[in-house]
């Protein structure tokens, strides 16, 4: 090889090495810049912290499964701001008088403690039975599980086939500077008189309300006299009362093709 050619190869290799070094330095800088801040959970309720290890279902914006991550990671604003999205559900149970069962989340809850919300709100887990998607059966099984865990409703009183899957809602909301929600939320309706034995670690209080009573609560929330979860507020201000007026004819509102972006 000639000296000129050798020098050319050496210079080329040197430039490549320099470029690679610069790229590695940039990557290290970016990793440093976006490193997750240290999250302290020692001050949180022990039982609720244990639930943070549950594996939620990660999805894209079209509700296609893309993986799994812990409940903790799914609810950190740091990850939410970077697009982490998971699957969830909201259950609305009405009694024979067509009153809606509400719960007030316990003060131990990590997100939105003390807030009033619909009957039950949670997540299907990344398990075989709750990943199954046909007719949202996995989500409905998860709802049955959480209705038992939170409200103590016997599982044979809230079977999946008794739940009407209406539609899905995509929303994002911060609870505080650390925790928040970013979910595609399956809306499940059911009308039945059920037995209740709430877990105080999950639920601070519960009540059945009429449409008029809920409207009064929504007005109080606007005046900051009580707090309502953001997803329940969004649903109440858009679809809820129309659905409530048609509890005996919900099929007309079933929409499994579209996701409402809120």
């Amino acid at each position: 090889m000639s000296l000129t050619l050798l020098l050319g190869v050496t210079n080329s290799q040197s430039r490549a090495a320099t470029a690679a070094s610069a790229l590695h330095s940039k990557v290290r800088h970016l990793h440093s810049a976006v490193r997750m801040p240290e999250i302290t959970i020692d001050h949180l309720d022990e039982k609720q912290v244990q639930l943070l290890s549950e594996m939620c279902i990660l999805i894209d914006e079209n509700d296609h499964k893309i993986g799994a991550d812990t409940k903790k990671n799914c609810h950190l604003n740091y990850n939410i701001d970077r697009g982490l999205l998971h699957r969830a559900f909201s259950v609305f149970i009405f009694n024979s008088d067509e009153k809606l069962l509400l719960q007030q989340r316990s003060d131990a809850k990590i997100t939105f403690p003390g807030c009033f919300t619909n009957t039950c709100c949670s997540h299907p887990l990344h398990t075989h039975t709750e990943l199954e998607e046909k007719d949202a059966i996995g989500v409905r099984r998860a709802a049955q599980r959480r209705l038992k865990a939170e409200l103590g409703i016997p599982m044979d009183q809230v079977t999946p086939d008794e739940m009407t899957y209406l539609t899905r809602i995509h929303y994002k909301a911060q609870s505080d500077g650390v925790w928040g929600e970013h979910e595609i939320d399956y809306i499940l309706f059911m009308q039945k008189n059920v037995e209740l034995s709430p877990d105080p670690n999950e639920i601070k209080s519960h009540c059945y309300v009429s449409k008029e009573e809920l409207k009064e609560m929504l007005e109080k929330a606007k005046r900051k006299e009580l707090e309502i979860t953001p997803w329940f507020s969004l649903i109440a201000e858009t679809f809820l009362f129309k659905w409530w007026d048609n509890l005996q004819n919900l099929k007309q509102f079933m929409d499994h093709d579209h996701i409402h972006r809120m």
Side-chain angles (χ1 to χ4, degrees), residues 17 23 40 50 71-72 79 124 131-132 139 141 146 176 199 202 212 227 244 252:
L23 178 60
T40 302
Q50 289 175 356
K71 180 181 176 183
K72 175 184 175 181
N79 294 324
L131 280 165
E132 191 173 344
V139 171
R141 287 170 181 155
R146 289 304 298 174
D176 57 25
D199 178 353
E202 295 285 343
E212 292 72 23
E227 291 184 292
W244 200 338
Q252 62 181 308

Side-chain angles (χ1 to χ4, degrees), residues 22 27 41 51 71 107 147 176 249 253:
V27 168
I41 59 175
L51 296 175
K71 180 181 176 183
D107 293 332
L147 285 166
D176 57 25
N249 187 26
F253 302 110

Side-chain angles (χ1 to χ4, degrees), residues 91-95 101 119 140 143-145 147-148 151-164 189-197 208:
V91 183
F92 295 73
I93 292 182
F94 301 82
N95 64 13
L101 176 58
T119 310
R140 289 184 285 132
Q144 180 188 37
R145 172 178 57 83
L147 285 166
K148 169 63 175 175
L151 288 152
I153 303 175
M155 293 182 74
D156 60 1
Q157 293 186 12
V158 283
T159 60
D161 62 346
E162 294 176 286
M163 301 176 194
T164 299
F189 265 43
M190 180 177 175
Q191 185 175 10
K192 189 175 185 179
N193 294 330
V194 293
E195 299 171 20
L196 302 173
S197 181
Y208 281 94

Side-chain angles (χ1 to χ4, degrees), residues 48-136:
Q48 292 296 321
V49 167
Q50 289 175 356
L51 296 175
L52 290 177
S53 63
E54 292 181 337
M55 298 301 289
C56 294
I57 302 169
L58 296 184
I59 50 177
D60 64 18
E61 291 202 349
N62 294 311
D63 195 26
H64 298 139
K65 292 176 292 191
I66 59 173
D69 208 338
T70 62
K71 180 181 176 183
K72 175 184 175 181
N73 285 339
C74 287
H75 291 83
L76 288 171
N77 289 327
Y78 175 88
N79 294 324
I80 290 171
D81 290 343
R82 284 153 183 77
L84 203 65
L85 176 64
H86 63 279
R87 189 173 287 167
F89 62 81
S90 286
V91 183
F92 295 73
I93 292 182
F94 301 82
N95 64 13
S96 56
D97 294 326
E98 297 195 352
K99 289 190 172 184
L100 173 61
L101 176 58
L102 302 184
Q103 65 159 279
Q104 183 183 18
R105 294 164 66 86
S106 80
D107 293 332
K109 299 291 280 187
I110 293 170
T111 58
F112 303 100
C115 293
F116 284 90
T117 194
N118 49 284
T119 310
C120 181
C121 331
S122 192
H123 321 91
L125 300 181
H126 198 270
T127 62
H128 175 71
T129 55
E130 296 185 10
L131 280 165
E132 191 173 344
E133 294 185 332
K134 182 175 173 56
D135 300 322

